[in-house]
Amino acid sequence: MSEEVVADFTGKLLTEDIDQLKPVKGRVLLNHEQLVLVTGDSKESIFLSKIVSTNPGSVADSVSQFFEEAIAVAYERNGNRRRAIIGGSPDTIAKFRTLLFKLLIGKQTVIAQHPAKRGGRVTDVPPRKMLLDLSESAIELSLDDKTARINVEAVIGFEHEQRELMDRARPTLILDHAAGNTTLTTYISLLSKRKLTFLSQFVRLNYSKVINDVRETEVNDTETQALISLYSAGGSASLEGIVTDNDTDARTVGENLLEKELVTEEEGVLYLTSRGEIVVTEQLESVNE
């Protein structure tokens, strides 16, 4: 590899070109032009320009048992789509994933409206050209000497839409995310649809982890109802205002919600966290189905 290597580690690899039935130990090298996977005498070189997806759902259950943590990469070769799965420790894969996305998306100028909404209400902030960059846990939008960070673990929903930004309809990623004691909505449009897709996948990879973690958290009916009441109150209220059943120990409910990081508390007021909003959103969606 003539280019400067930005990642070099040993992990578990499963690729269609190398054609093994189970993951094998191999070396992973990444530079600004290509990803190289080496196992024994075999080497698979994947140009970054040929990568079409990093969809987390493509790590099938049938092979996920072999990996502590993994990322799947789909790419084109001679008109066909191929796939490689790269596994390693959670820390190693998290760092590799960030480096890969930084190379696939790149630091670039985007059109962003931040925030387009605050607490569900439209703001008067106009769309502007901003510099986008990624860190392991955030999307960063910079303008002049100011930088806004959107923590991906605080994202509570996202979708694609055509939005009118700077006098033109553009493919746009819409992010709903918790910020302090409120919810913000941010619009981001990239000139390249391919890179916009990768940005969505970057969000989805991290969002999926939070969703899975929240789903594994046991929340009883009383706690769920308290979260819904807090949500209906605008995301902040006193404990007594959301637990009104005289037969229920409100203090215990509050302590449980704090321990599960579904709410925060400040001067006797409870605030719904992004994790808490996910519980409410999923509950409301199940009721409407």
Side-chain angles (χ1 to χ4, degrees):
M1 298 177 72
S2 57
E3 287 277 337
E4 177 188 359
V5 174
V6 297
D8 182 353
F9 65 94
T10 299
K12 288 185 177 181
L13 307 177
L14 179 61
T15 77
E16 294 173 358
D17 277 8
I18 297 175
D19 200 29
Q20 67 269 18
L21 297 177
K22 291 196 302 185
V24 297
K25 186 176 181 180
R27 187 179 178 189
V28 180
L29 300 102
L30 176 68
N31 66 25
H32 287 80
E33 290 189 355
Q34 59 185 325
L35 169 65
V36 178
L37 309 177
V38 182
T39 58
D41 295 329
S42 300
K43 182 172 75 170
E44 176 69 2
S45 298
I46 304 167
F47 282 100
L48 300 188
S49 60
K50 296 297 183 181
I51 293 178
V52 295
S53 176
T54 57
N55 190 336
S58 58
V59 181
D61 292 339
S62 58
V63 297
S64 62
Q65 60 180 308
F66 298 112
F67 300 100
E68 185 178 6
E69 186 75 20
I71 180 172
V73 175
Y75 58 100
E76 292 181 349
R77 172 68 53 79
N78 299 324
N80 298 315
R81 181 171 291 201
R82 300 182 181 275
R83 187 180 64 157
I85 300 175
I86 302 166
S89 70
D91 185 57
T92 297
I93 295 302
K95 291 177 180 177
F96 168 72
R97 184 165 50 225
T98 301
L99 288 170
L100 178 62
F101 274 107
K102 284 174 75 73
L103 292 180
L104 289 173
I105 298 170
K107 181 183 288 189
Q108 62 179 290
T109 299
V110 301
I111 295 174
Q113 191 171 359
H114 174 79
K117 296 180 182 179
R118 183 184 298 275
R121 297 181 179 180
V122 176
T123 70
D124 58 0
V125 176
R128 293 169 291 190
K129 290 184 178 180
M130 304 180 78
L131 185 65
L132 178 141
D133 199 5
L134 302 179
S135 68
E136 187 171 320
S137 61
I139 296 170
E140 299 178 350
L141 295 170
S142 300
L143 179 65
D144 299 327
D145 59 345
K146 296 181 179 179
T147 299
R149 299 183 79 254
I150 301 174
N151 190 325
V152 288
E153 291 190 356
V155 172
I156 57 175
F158 62 97
E159 60 183 333
H160 278 122
E161 269 187 18
Q162 289 285 125
R163 300 292 305 186
E164 195 77 21
L165 299 176
M166 298 185 74
D167 301 322
R168 196 177 111 196
R170 304 174 187 272
T172 304
L173 176 63
I174 301 173
L175 297 175
D176 293 322
H177 52 103
N181 300 325
T182 190
T183 300
L184 302 181
T185 299
T186 299
Y187 301 154
I188 304 175
S189 180
L190 281 67
L191 293 177
S192 166
K193 288 185 178 180
R194 176 174 175 269
K195 292 186 177 183
L196 183 63
T197 298
F198 285 135
L199 183 60
S200 298
Q201 291 175 358
F202 174 75
V203 173
R204 185 182 299 277
L205 278 163
N206 293 277
Y207 180 73
S208 297
K209 289 180 177 295
V210 178
I211 288 289
N212 291 337
D213 184 47
V214 171
R215 285 175 177 168
E216 291 175 0
T217 301
E218 293 186 7
V219 184
N220 62 38
D221 291 342
T222 301
E223 292 163 356
T224 299
Q225 189 55 54
L227 291 173
I228 293 174
S229 297
L230 186 57
Y231 176 83
S232 300
S236 63
S238 66
L239 181 59
E240 294 73 19
I242 62 172
V243 182
T244 56
D245 186 349
N246 293 330
D247 295 329
T248 300
D249 184 349
R251 184 179 296 276
T252 299
V253 173
E255 289 175 352
N256 289 342
L257 294 177
L258 286 167
E259 184 179 347
K260 296 171 184 177
E261 298 180 350
L262 302 175
V263 301
T264 58
E265 182 180 16
E266 187 176 334
E267 297 182 354
V269 177
L270 296 183
Y271 296 92
L272 197 62
T273 66
S274 57
R275 293 168 58 88
E277 289 213 30
I278 289 170
V279 172
V280 173
T281 300
E282 296 214 325
Q283 179 64 25
L284 295 178
E285 287 178 350
S286 66
V287 170
N288 293 328
E289 287 180 354

